[in-house]
Amino acid sequence: MTFSVHGLAVSRGIAIGRAVLVASSRADVAHYFIEAAKTVEEIARVRVSRNAVMEEIMRLQQDLPKDVPHEIAALLDVHLMLLQDEQLISGIKHWITERHYNAEWALTTQYEIIARQFDEMEDEYLRERKADLEQVVERILRHMKGVASPVQPAEQAGSSRKQSQQDLLLDDTNDVPLVLIAHDISPADMLQFKQSLFAGFATDVGGKTSHTAIVARSLDIPAVVGARSASQLIKQDDWVIIDGDAGLLIVDPSPIILAEYGFKQRQGELERQRLNRLKHTPALTLDGERIELLANIEMPNDTVGAVNVGAVGVGLFRSEFLFMGRNGKLPDENEQYLAYRKALEGMQGMPVTIRTVDIGSDKPLDKLAGRAHDGHLNPALGLRAIRWSLADPPMFLTQLRAILRAAAHGQVNLLVPMLAHVSEIRQTLALIDHARAQLDNSGTVYGPVRLGAMIEIPAAALTLPLFLKYFDFLSIGTNDLIQYTLAIDRADESVAHLYDPCHPAVLRLIADTITECNAQGKGVSVCGEMAGDVHMTRLLLGLGLRSFSMHPSQILAVKQQILRADTSKLKLWAQEVLHSEDPGALL
Ligand code: PEP
Ligand code: MG
């Protein structure tokens, strides 16, 4: 039966495909695709762990004291039975051989399917067996954790591997598009999925500018977040339409609905082709103002997409993505240097703005859920970004040296996130000097960098002279500026309706920052999601912004707005919007 689920639209377009559910209750297991040649090995991995768990239980049975209640012995029997359950075993094999899921993912997927069947049972005793199944699955997973995986997750593997994984999925799906449904996906996991060919994705939680949503947008596939109970309502292999424009999921659609959405999908494709023709058109407004369109990237390879759409540089390289999902093992100086250099080479002589690491909040180093990260109550207000870097000078110096060394190969702008205090500015600058001195002492070659600060805390926007004194350029991080001005967790779907880029207070801080920088001849750009939102382009132009940094997939649509705009007319109108009590209504 057809039903729909509402969420937040985060990445435009329509996807129609079969649901791939990432098990919610075991979200911390790795999810990646394996190579076809490794299926036997992968199945063996589960078998070895299952056998080990069975042996454990049998040993327990043998050692049970005589006076133990017989329920305990019976329970162990049930666990042994579940471990040999044909549906569990054949299901795991199916997911590994047919879909090429890694062993842990196959196990948890099959668990979800059987658990659902238990939920639907009339008999209370049988219903309660779900908890036993959960326990045996946990035991197998725990055992597997101790057994090294023969296959590395996609992001840690070499590029040739990635290629073969893509080929693999192409072969595997027989052209049936797949859509990813999950309770939540960490930004690091999202990056792994970047190598896969999902046609769309949806999560139960998350706000429009949560980092998971940002990475999803960078996949350039239709996506919906904050769809509350989608992962409960949708079953493995269900047909699902993801409407990324309306923030809507349609499950098990009727033929009429399918036809309607198929039509919309083709229309969207045509629109994309039209936009593609703007690739080589200079970004000039009607009154001849040249606008700089820069790319936001997460990995050095993303520069390919940036160059393809005509970006004239990278305005934001979120370097933290080099640090995430590595079980806490941080990239060393050389690995970072090579990554930054690769980004520079990818941009073919155009400037690259490397932001120092912004770990914390909804970008934890590892898979721990952002909100509960490290037990901090309020991670968005906690040890994040520059605070994290300044708390670990050797780690920060390593990154600074790598950036300075990369600067010998091209124009690098070094951008510092989340500064608010003069003490933080001074410490940061002192550490940059120290990194230079270290390189001098070791006789290592490095290059000059322009220094920039992100304006993403209201306190920074309200003390601009301080920032203009110490930095060469500023970059407005609207995602956080909105979060911190309005006290709205950007990753929390329950307050997403209050996350308002057009709130007069937010616009005032943005307008003043642009005006002040322009007056002093300092470079200023917007690199938050607002820069890629076509509804905001005219307003930002009217406020005097001439440099926008966004995900490559948004560049051509924003360019189209620019080509139709006349900044001399927008200036007055933008002031009207700024002084309105409901600016959003005027856009
Ligand atoms: C921002 O806050 O607007 C920004 C660009 O940084 P991030 O989204 O990575 O926090
Ligand atoms: Mg930010």
Side-chain angles (χ1 to χ4, degrees), residues 211 355 358 363 384 417-418 454 456 477 479-480 490:
H211 284 94
R355 179 175 72 183
D358 182 0
K363 277 181 293 193
R384 186 195 154 182
M418 265 194 88
M454 291 202 59
E456 50 185 348
N479 305 336
D480 280 316
R490 61 194 265 195

Side-chain angles (χ1 to χ4, degrees), residues 208-408:
K208 272 192 178 193
T209 61
S210 62
H211 284 94
T212 301
I214 290 173
V215 182
R217 236 181 326 272
S218 81
L219 300 181
D220 199 15
I221 55 173
V224 170
V225 299
R228 306 286 171 108
S229 47
S231 74
Q232 306 286 320
L233 299 170
I234 298 171
K235 295 200 286 293
Q236 194 79 27
D237 254 21
D238 274 351
W239 277 101
V240 179
I241 296 174
I242 296 184
D243 182 342
D245 298 313
L248 184 67
L249 308 177
I250 302 171
V251 188
D252 199 7
S254 67
I256 296 177
I257 296 176
L258 263 181
E260 191 187 320
Y261 273 91
F263 177 72
K264 274 195 190 177
Q265 209 176 22
R266 284 189 294 282
Q267 294 286 101
E269 194 42 50
L270 284 176
E271 173 63 17
R272 264 165 197 260
Q273 285 168 12
R274 270 196 291 276
L275 281 178
N276 261 337
R277 293 191 208 122
L278 299 180
K279 238 189 236 179
H280 304 295
T281 311
L284 288 176
T285 61
L286 292 173
D287 54 327
E289 286 280 332
R290 182 172 291 278
I291 310 299
E292 187 177 47
L293 293 179
L294 304 165
N296 290 356
I297 64 168
E298 283 107 32
M299 282 291 179
N301 277 343
D302 296 340
T303 53
V304 177
V307 171
N308 273 344
V309 292
V312 297
V314 167
L316 175 66
F317 179 170
R318 288 185 164 99
S319 70
E320 55 275 14
F321 281 87
L322 298 172
F323 289 62
M324 285 153 52
R326 306 165 52 109
N327 294 325
K329 188 182 171 299
L330 305 186
D332 64 19
E333 181 181 323
N334 213 43
E335 183 180 344
Q336 288 189 58
Y337 159 69
L338 291 173
Y340 304 143
R341 183 176 156 179
K342 190 169 173 196
L344 277 162
E345 287 164 357
M347 289 314 288
Q348 306 165 8
M350 292 180 276
V352 174
T353 303
I354 303 171
R355 179 175 72 183
T356 61
V357 64
D358 182 0
I359 283 296
S361 193
D362 68 338
K363 277 181 293 193
L365 260 189
D366 288 301
K367 285 185 180 151
L368 297 167
R371 265 166 274 189
H373 183 47
D374 283 350
H376 293 300
L377 286 178
N378 209 334
L381 302 180
L383 194 67
R384 186 195 154 182
I386 190 63
R387 303 168 182 182
W388 195 76
S389 297
L390 292 177
D392 187 351
M395 180 283 300
F396 194 32
L397 282 166
T398 302
Q399 175 166 45
L400 293 173
R401 286 193 305 272
I403 295 174
L404 291 167
R405 284 173 58 194

Side-chain angles (χ1 to χ4, degrees), residues 449-559:
V449 293
R450 286 172 74 232
L451 289 182
M454 291 202 59
I455 301 297
E456 50 185 348
I457 298 182
L462 292 168
T463 51
L464 284 172
L466 180 69
F467 285 81
L468 291 169
K469 174 178 167 195
Y470 287 104
F471 291 96
D472 303 315
F473 70 97
L474 301 182
S475 187
I476 309 174
T478 49
N479 305 336
D480 280 316
L481 190 59
I482 299 166
Q483 155 164 273
Y484 296 127
T485 305
L486 302 179
I488 300 297
D489 186 336
R490 61 194 265 195
D492 186 346
E493 71 284 356
S494 67
V495 283
H497 59 292
L498 296 172
Y499 185 92
D500 180 12
C502 292
H503 189 290
V506 172
L507 293 183
R508 167 58 55 202
L509 294 175
I510 295 171
D512 288 353
T513 305
I514 297 170
T515 307
E516 196 63 28
C517 286
N518 286 345
Q520 302 223 6
K522 293 257 177 164
V524 60
S525 67
V526 168
C527 64
E529 295 302 290
M530 208 188 239
D533 180 347
V534 289
H535 302 106
M536 302 300 294
T537 312
R538 283 158 27 94
L539 178 61
L540 291 171
L541 287 171
L543 294 176
L545 190 74
R546 298 294 178 262
S547 177
F548 295 64
S549 190
M550 68 201 79
H551 186 267
S553 65
Q554 297 156 327
I555 284 185
L556 293 173
V558 170
K559 192 191 271 188

